[in-house]
Amino acid sequence: MQDKFIPYGRQTISDDDIAAVTEVLQSSWLTTGPMVERFESCFCDFSEADYAVAVSNGTASLHCAMAAADIQLGDEVIVPAMTFVATANSVVYQGATPVFADIEADTLLINASKISDLITPKTKAIAAVDYAGQPADYDAIKAIADSHGLTVVADASHAPGGTYKDRPVGTLADLTTFSFHPVKHLTTGEGGMITTNDAKKAETMRRFRNHGINSDHRSRATSRTFVYDMIELGFNYRLNDIQCALGITQLNQLGDWVSKRQKIATLYDQAFQDMAHVSPLVTRPDRTNAYHLYVIRLSGSKGYRERAYEQLQEKRIGVNVHYLPVHLHSFYADQFGYGQGLCPVAESVYEEILTLPMYPLMSDEDVQRVIEEVGLLEDLA
Ligand SMILES: *Cc1c(COP(=O)(O)O)cnc(C)c1O
């Protein structure tokens, strides 16, 4: 009999989730109804941010954040090279240029000491990414941003439930974005959220997600008017009530899920201490890692990571690689002339990284099976 396939990530759906969704389906509002504000309000409580704006996916949340940061044609935004393409793409959506910053080799987070050299008169913002679930060094980033009048955007798609110097993710930057894709911590099928303490930015993003119109369907129904005005160009980035209801019940379980992820990480960390061919990423002592991903670095001869990937897939362990540095994608080479040599640390670490399975429903047996198989990779080095 073939071994069970262990994916690198997967969602957890409970009876409460299903009941909440069913209730909305039987109600009169499927979208722009009461669940949207309720989810946003729950998200404010969880993140300790003053405002939360729900949107249709994590990429839309980044696009809204770039709009709220007033990123425009010709501007530059500093983005770490090691992230999902969406972080940089959201800058390009606004007609601006992502300027890639190199990363720290042990955390894969943006290297704050590399940022100042990248700042030009066109720089408007710094977008940090909480890679794998660990918050970036926001005090260092904020200090640089403040001295140049820049906005800080945190792409916290990996990090709901993480903390930095005892402050929760969601309040560490001017604008913080989240994704509710099924492989992330909590899911609404597709979904996203932006948190901020800036009332005006929150207002801008509520318009931006609704075509740039200054009111929504329900507020017009309540105040009995058909009049609305589109004051700027926006998009349809709304999250519907079915999804928001699911988001609320998912959020209730987040604390337990983060603990479960941290437990799995501890088991992995302990096992890999004794394996010379495996180096786990480092979590800084002033942060708690929410562990969206558990990433290891493999040190061996050329092509080791590829051989390891193939062997683990063969053994039905769903490993993955996060990510090819963004500047190496064809689009960024073609449009911006970027290529090898721009961010040497990201480029060399990319050859060594492998993402191991990590999700709340993963059993101890599953974890042990992954550990055993990673141990056997020594022979491939
Ligand atoms: C998942 C992810 C996104 C995009 O989120 P979607 O909901 O898939 O649009 C953006 N940035 C990072 C770092 C992500 O992991």
Side-chain angles (χ1 to χ4, degrees):
M1 202 183 81
Q2 226 181 6
D3 280 329
K4 180 183 82 170
F5 181 72
I6 305 177
Y8 87 86
R10 68 157 298 164
Q11 70 274 17
T12 311
I13 299 290
S14 68
D15 290 345
D16 282 351
D17 294 323
I18 293 165
V21 167
T22 306
E23 199 174 314
V24 173
L25 287 171
Q26 290 163 334
S27 78
S28 41
W29 291 97
L30 295 189
T31 193
T32 59
M35 286 302 154
V36 182
E37 280 158 45
R38 205 172 295 171
F39 184 31
E40 289 173 344
S41 156
C42 292
F43 212 85
C44 285
D45 292 344
F46 150 73
S47 65
E48 300 180 19
D50 292 343
Y51 305 95
V53 179
V55 293
S56 50
N57 57 65
T59 307
S61 72
L62 282 159
H63 193 186
C64 287
M66 292 304 160
D70 198 30
I71 305 306
Q72 298 178 21
L73 187 69
D75 291 341
E76 293 176 358
V77 177
I78 295 169
V79 176
M82 183 57 71
T83 183
F84 182 53
V85 290
T87 321
N89 290 354
S90 67
V91 174
V92 183
Y93 295 161
Q94 291 297 95
T97 299
V99 172
F100 292 103
D102 213 345
I103 55 168
E104 304 169 339
D106 57 348
T107 62
L108 277 56
L109 295 170
I110 190 167
N111 187 334
S113 74
K114 303 275 174 160
I115 293 175
S116 293
D117 286 349
L118 301 173
I119 294 173
T120 75
K122 293 178 178 171
T123 310
K124 287 274 278 288
I126 304 166
V129 174
D130 300 336
Y131 180 87
Q134 171 171 210
D137 189 358
Y138 286 102
D139 281 355
I141 294 165
K142 198 91 180 81
I144 299 163
D146 286 349
S147 70
H148 292 88
L150 310 177
T151 303
V152 180
V153 175
D155 180 345
S157 302
H158 295 185
T163 65
Y164 174 82
K165 300 183 180 175
D166 297 325
R167 306 189 316 256
V169 163
T171 61
L172 304 172
D174 298 304
L175 294 147
T176 304
T177 72
F178 298 88
S179 163
F180 308 133
H181 181 278
V183 298
K184 306 291 165 65
H185 283 74
L186 62 146
T187 190
T188 58
E190 297 273 3
M193 188 78 79
I194 315 97
T195 57
T196 182
N197 286 342
D198 184 320
K200 209 160 146 252
K201 286 187 169 65
E203 197 55 37
T204 300
M205 294 188 289
R206 288 187 207 289
R207 272 198 311 274
F208 194 76
R209 76 171 169 192
N210 190 34
H211 309 280
I213 292 171
N214 65 357
S215 61
D216 68 24
H217 186 71
R218 198 162 61 111
S219 67
R220 286 195 297 279
T222 312
S223 52
R224 289 213 186 180
T225 176
F226 57 82
V227 181
Y228 61 84
D229 189 22
M230 182 193 129
I231 62 173
E232 64 203 345
L233 188 64
F235 291 78
N236 178 353
Y237 278 161
R238 295 185 305 258
L239 192 65
N240 67 48
D241 281 59
I242 307 164
Q243 294 171 301
C244 287
L246 179 55
I248 294 165
T249 49
Q250 288 266 303
L251 191 57
N252 289 336
Q253 302 164 82
L254 180 69
D256 290 343
W257 291 339
V258 171
S259 302
K260 185 71 211 285
R261 287 171 177 276
Q262 289 167 338
K263 270 191 201 120
I264 295 169
T266 305
L267 292 174
Y268 278 152
D269 282 343
Q270 281 165 354
F272 299 148
Q273 261 173 17
D274 307 325
M275 297 186 194
H277 60 296
V278 179
S279 315
L281 296 185
V282 168
T283 299
R284 303 269 181 249
D286 57 359
R287 299 168 220 185
T288 50
N289 195 328
Y291 285 108
H292 162 51
L293 304 174
Y294 189 92
V295 174
I296 56 170
R297 292 174 59 188
L298 289 167
S299 37
S301 60
K302 196 168 157 47
Y304 183 25
R305 193 270 311 275
E306 276 67 16
R307 294 193 295 280
Y309 173 86
E310 270 165 37
Q311 175 157 317
L312 291 171
Q313 287 288 342
E314 189 72 25
K315 299 285 180 61
R316 304 189 46 80
I317 310 281
V319 286
N320 213 319
V321 173
H322 300 90
Y323 302 92
L324 175 70
V326 180
H327 64 281
L328 299 182
H329 282 280
S330 306
F331 171 81
Y332 284 98
D334 296 347
Q335 296 290 311
F336 298 95
Y338 293 144
Q340 289 285 346
L342 190 70
C343 298
V345 177
E347 290 159 24
S348 77
V349 157
Y350 164 69
E351 304 289 339
E352 302 178 348
I353 51 177
L354 202 58
T355 304
L356 302 184
M358 156 81 83
Y359 50 91
L361 287 178
M362 203 177 168
S363 68
D364 287 352
E365 237 166 67
D366 293 341
V367 176
Q368 289 313 322
R369 213 179 109 207
V370 174
I371 289 170
E372 259 163 54
E373 292 296 344
V374 169
L376 296 175
L377 296 175
E378 194 175 4
D379 299 339
L380 298 176

